[in-house]
Every structure is written in structure tokens, then in C-alpha cells.
Amino acid sequence: MNIKDKATEIIIKQTIKSIKENPEKNLPKAIGTVKGFLGGKKGYEQQFEVVEQVLTDTKSNWFQFIENILEDVDQSIVEKFVCNFVVNALLKGIPKTYELKEKEGHCFPWAILMDPTSSCNLQCTGCWAAEYGNKLNLGYDLMNRIVTEGKDLGCYWYLFTGGEPLVKKDEILRLCEEHNDCMFLAFTNATLIDEEFAEKVAKVGNLTFAISVEGTEESTDSRRGKGTYQKIMKAMDILKEHKILFGFSTCSTSVNEEYVTSEEYIDKMEEKGCKYGWFFDYMPVGCDSVPDLMISAEQREHMYHTIRKYRETKPLFLLDFWNDGEFSGGCVAGGRYYMHINANGDVEPCAFIHYSNVNIKDVSLKEALKQPLFMEYQRNQPFSDNLLRPCPLLDNEGKLAEMVNRCGAYSTDLANPENVDSLCAKCSNCSKEWKEKADKLWNDSEGIKVKQEEMV
């Protein structure tokens, strides 16, 4: 750690300590500290304006959210999160990716998803990972190279998917220790979390968990196996006891959408100790997928309104992956903001889009970002002027097939390669139905409506 980074760490520790002592007085002052880390860099004016409004309203759910974080999460973990995610990933990393884009002419992601393994201890209905078996593994050395090269490109945020990433928990902990300037997140079924592992996680401080829950005990067990829900609840209790930062990850389906958007569910997740939540719509990816699980346009519109309502009332940080396009300027994949590397090393535009031109075992990370499929993505983004229709598969009929066929990308599904035209056909009706709903929502909305020219 250099002198500047050490000084930053000291300032952050002092700031967090003062906030805990008197949140109402010292939390608003923290914005000045954050601005200082930017050193005059532009591009964050709108974000700071929103944050300042939150920090000065002591009665808001967001003020309560921050107070809860400081109370419920170990201070060393909070400090590590601020240093690694807020300062390194957001304030230092993103400007570097912008500079590289100006120099190289293409995007550099500030978040990278990778699958340590294709292995999983569960077999969930409709999950493509179950098709791959347990034979594919990136291995520690390759993951270490990816993170090392990623940091040189301004990326300090790494997310693990799978398979079940905690099958490789020792490798993940080793990465966290080796790269203690990065923030790591594992999407996990949580059934492998125990007391011993939680103690190790608390010690490294830079690993958080998005725990997969399908709503009720019945709906979770029906998709993930009998007894899974109770194991998840136990894992949450363990993490909460050890004051570890974690949240929930929910796949919204035609079967569970009503419950997972209910106040009962959101309150249950908060009660268990979750500080954030990710919502993903079910995608019919893989030859053995179940298209009937896709949510309807009416259900998706319900999610759009409901999750926005909770953001104004609940002390939780909630993300709606498909309905938040207006905040991100459309699709974030294809290296624009993030990318995915599967357990075989194939470099994919998105965790849900299993096509590629290159394998990370054969090229550097920087070279992989120039692959034809990523260039196709970036030339076509946004895929619609209506940013509530961000996805080239789910929201814009035939767009994914058009790009994949034009650049000659191959299917990365080694078990049962899926023709991209067949995949798009499964989403055709949903795409048409959502277009009608989304266009009305977009025209009527008084939301943020980020202008594309303002997105770098």
C-alpha cells in the first residue's frame, strides 16, 4: 500500500467513526470527504446532488439505511467496502475506464463477473448451470491473472457466479486476501456457508454475498430442492451474527412474481439482515430451459412500479436488473460496464448471453475486450431509444441473433449448444408484449430518463 492509499484509509476510518458517533451531524459532511478523493474530476455532479439530498434528510429511508449499515455491519467491513468499492471501484476505477475508452476507442468494464466453477451442489429447475456438470473450472491462477489485469484497466469490482461459486470457497478467499484493494461479491445458494467460513469472511472483509431466494419456502424448495430454504435462512443468521454485509438475489418468474414483490417478502429479507437485493427476470437460456417461467408484461410492469415504491420507503438498496435501464442508459453488458467469463474461460457479453468469439485462456483481458461480439454490442447500444427496453434478447426482438450471426460468435454452452435464432424465438412474444407496456411507461414517466449523450 502506497502513502496516498494509506492516507485515504486513515481518512475513511476517521470519517466512519465520526458518523457512527453522530450520524445527523457528520453524515452530511462525508460528501465533502468523498469529493476530495475525486481531485476535481468531473462527471459525478448529478450523483452528488442526489446523495447530498439523501444525507441531509434524517427522516428518509436512505438515512436509516446508512444508519443500519453502520450499526449492523462490522466497522472493519464497512471501512473495507468504502475503500474498495466507493473509492477504488467508483471514484478511481470508473474515470480510468473512461480514459482508456477515449484512448482505445472501445469500452472497458468497471465490473467483471466470472464463474470459478460449473459445479453446483444443487440442481435448480430452469438453471443452465446444471447442464454443464462439474468438469469446468477457471482455477486460482487464471482468476488471479484476470483480477490483476483488470485492476490495470480500472476494474476493482468482481462478482462470482456459477455453478455455485462457494464450491471453490478456498480459492475465493485467497483472491480476496491477495487483492485486498478490490471488492468481491458471490451470487450463492448459501447452503455451503457455515460458522468457520463466516469467520474467515469477516477476517478478509472484502467479500459480500447475494443469496438466492425464490420467495416462500415452498417456491424456493420447489425450484432448488427440499430443505434448501431453511438452509438459506440459517446461513443468513450466521452472516448476520458475524456482522457481514450481505443481500438477497431473486429470480422473478411467472410463478413467484406476486410474492417476491410483496411487502411481506421485502420486510422478511430486511429482518433477516439483508442490506441489498437484486431482482432478475427469468431468462429461457439453454435448450432445457422452461419458457413458461418467463414473467408476463403485466407482471414486469407491476415490478417496475412496486420496486420503485420500496426505494422510497424501505431501508434496502434494491436493484431491478431489467427495469433499471433508465438509470444505466440501457444495456450495461458487452464490456460497456460489465462482462462475464464462464467456467470454461469463454468471455461473454453477459451472464445471460452465452456466445463469444474468444477464450481468456488464449488472450489477455485487454485483447478479449476487443472481440467482435463486444464491438457489435457497443455499436448498437442502446438497443432502443426507450431505456426501459435495454436487453438485446428479452426486449428487442431478434437483435441478439442479428449481432451474433453478423460477427460469427459461437455458442459457449458445451453441454448442448443453443442456436441463437432459436433462443430469440423463445423471447419473441414477451418482447412484443413488453414493448407495448414499456413504450407507454416511458412516455408517461417522470423518471430520470438519462440522455444517452450524457452516458460515457
Side-chain angles (χ1 to χ4, degrees):
M1 182 181 293
N2 60 38
I3 295 176
K4 185 177 179 180
D5 289 342
K6 185 64 177 177
T8 297
E9 182 180 297
I10 293 172
I11 293 171
I12 287 171
K13 287 182 177 181
Q14 291 174 341
T15 301
I16 292 173
K17 182 180 178 181
S18 69
I19 293 172
K20 289 190 72 171
E21 291 173 351
N22 192 333
E24 292 189 14
K25 177 182 176 182
N26 295 322
L27 191 51
K29 294 179 181 179
I31 192 68
T33 302
V34 174
K35 284 181 176 178
F37 292 129
L38 282 174
K41 288 186 176 71
K42 296 182 178 180
Y44 292 90
E45 292 82 1
Q46 184 178 12
Q47 291 90 332
F48 277 125
E49 183 180 339
V50 173
V51 171
E52 284 183 299
Q53 290 176 356
V54 170
L55 297 185
T56 54
D57 182 3
T58 58
K59 293 185 175 11
S60 75
N61 60 307
W62 289 107
F63 194 93
Q64 183 186 345
F65 167 73
I66 295 173
E67 283 192 305
N68 290 349
I69 289 281
L70 295 172
E71 178 67 26
D72 300 337
V73 180
D74 186 85
Q75 183 169 331
S76 65
I77 293 176
V78 175
E79 293 168 354
K80 186 71 76 171
F81 177 82
V82 175
C83 286
N84 294 2
F85 185 75
V86 177
V87 176
N88 292 345
L90 297 183
L91 302 183
K92 290 167 54 177
I94 291 179
K96 185 170 184 177
T97 66
Y98 289 172
E99 291 171 7
L100 285 169
K101 180 185 177 183
E102 289 294 319
K103 179 181 177 181
E104 303 288 343
H106 64 86
C107 295
F108 289 80
W110 69 280
I112 294 176
L113 283 74
M114 54 183 169
D115 302 347
T117 180
S118 62
S119 179
C120 185
N121 59 323
L122 301 179
Q123 273 197 314
C124 303
T125 302
C127 177
W128 65 79
E131 300 177 13
Y132 295 157
N134 59 6
K135 310 228 182 261
L136 305 179
N137 300 281
L138 287 178
Y140 175 80
D141 290 342
L142 182 53
M143 290 193 291
N144 183 51
R145 172 168 76 84
I146 292 168
V147 176
T148 301
E149 293 180 4
K151 289 195 293 186
D152 288 339
L153 303 177
C155 183
Y156 288 84
W157 190 26
Y158 296 87
L159 302 91
F160 301 112
T161 50
E164 169 49 52
L166 296 190
V167 169
K168 298 292 183 179
K169 61 172 68 172
D170 291 341
E171 292 181 0
I172 289 175
L173 285 172
R174 187 179 170 192
L175 273 178
C176 293
E177 292 172 345
E178 178 68 22
H179 300 280
N180 62 4
D181 55 348
C182 293
M183 194 68 204
F184 297 90
L185 182 151
F187 288 96
T188 174
N189 62 43
T191 59
L192 299 178
I193 293 174
D194 55 22
E195 292 282 351
E196 180 183 1
F197 180 57
E199 290 175 2
K200 294 177 180 178
V201 171
K203 184 177 179 180
V204 296
N206 57 342
L207 175 61
T208 181
F209 304 96
I211 298 176
S212 299
V213 192
E214 307 303 325
T216 64
E217 182 169 6
E218 180 183 5
S219 59
T220 298
D221 286 1
S222 67
R223 185 168 185 232
R224 299 184 177 273
K226 186 175 177 58
T228 302
Y229 182 85
Q230 289 303 325
K231 291 179 182 178
I232 292 171
M233 295 299 105
K234 176 62 176 176
M236 287 185 174
D237 292 340
I238 292 173
L239 294 175
K240 184 177 181 180
E241 179 184 349
H242 287 272
K243 306 191 80 169
I244 293 169
L245 179 66
F246 70 96
F248 67 92
S249 172
T250 293
C251 177
S252 305
T253 71
S254 58
V255 177
N256 73 0
E257 185 277 333
E258 182 177 3
Y259 180 74
V260 299
T261 56
S262 70
E263 194 163 18
E264 177 185 351
Y265 179 64
I266 299 299
D267 289 346
K268 174 71 172 179
M269 292 298 98
E270 183 196 350
E271 176 191 331
K272 295 299 293 184
C274 293
K275 301 305 179 190
Y276 59 87
W278 297 69
F279 286 90
F280 300 92
D281 294 354
Y282 177 76
M283 295 280 276
V285 176
C287 294
D288 294 333
S289 62
V290 185
D292 286 346
L293 287 176
M294 296 175 70
I295 65 172
S296 67
E298 289 76 16
Q299 289 175 316
R300 185 166 169 183
E301 181 180 14
H302 179 252
M303 287 186 64
Y304 172 90
H305 292 298
T306 305
I307 293 176
R308 276 163 173 72
K309 180 188 71 174
Y310 292 144
R311 285 178 182 152
E312 298 176 356
T313 58
K314 303 294 182 183
L316 280 170
F317 188 85
L318 300 175
L319 300 97
D320 187 351
F321 195 72
W322 265 269
N323 285 337
D324 282 344
E326 64 180 308
F327 303 110
S328 61
C331 173
V332 298
R336 177 173 172 246
Y337 290 155
Y338 99 106
M339 55 179 281
H340 178 242
I341 303 173
N342 70 15
N344 188 52
D346 299 301
V347 182
E348 303 168 336
C350 175
F352 301 98
I353 305 297
H354 298 174
Y355 300 91
S356 179
N357 296 108
V358 297
N359 191 290
I360 197 64
K361 297 172 185 175
D362 305 320
V363 298
S364 69
L365 181 60
K366 189 173 182 180
E367 290 171 322
L369 290 168
K370 296 187 289 188
Q371 67 166 297
L373 183 54
F374 280 25
M375 297 301 98
E376 283 288 336
Y377 259 71
Q378 291 166 34
R379 276 193 292 269
N380 284 275
Q381 287 166 326
F383 299 110
S384 170
D385 291 334
N386 181 344
L387 299 181
L388 296 178
R389 295 172 50 221
C391 182
L393 173 59
L394 195 62
D395 302 330
N396 295 275
E397 186 179 11
K399 176 56 73 172
L400 178 66
E402 177 187 314
M403 294 190 295
V404 168
N405 290 327
R406 187 160 50 226
C407 73
Y410 56 84
S411 170
T412 57
D413 188 332
L414 301 182
N416 196 355
E418 184 171 28
N419 178 277
V420 68
D421 295 296
S422 299
L423 172 61
C424 288
K426 289 188 286 188
C427 299
S428 178
N429 287 337
C430 282
S431 176
K432 291 175 182 176
E433 292 171 1
W434 176 242
K435 181 181 184 305
E436 183 177 345
K437 293 279 188 186
D439 286 349
K440 186 176 187 309
L441 284 172
W442 185 248
N443 292 331
D444 294 345
S445 173
E446 295 180 358
I448 189 170
K449 291 193 176 180
V450 175
K451 293 181 180 178
Q452 220 31 53
E453 60 267 23
E454 294 175 354
M455 301 302 294
V456 179

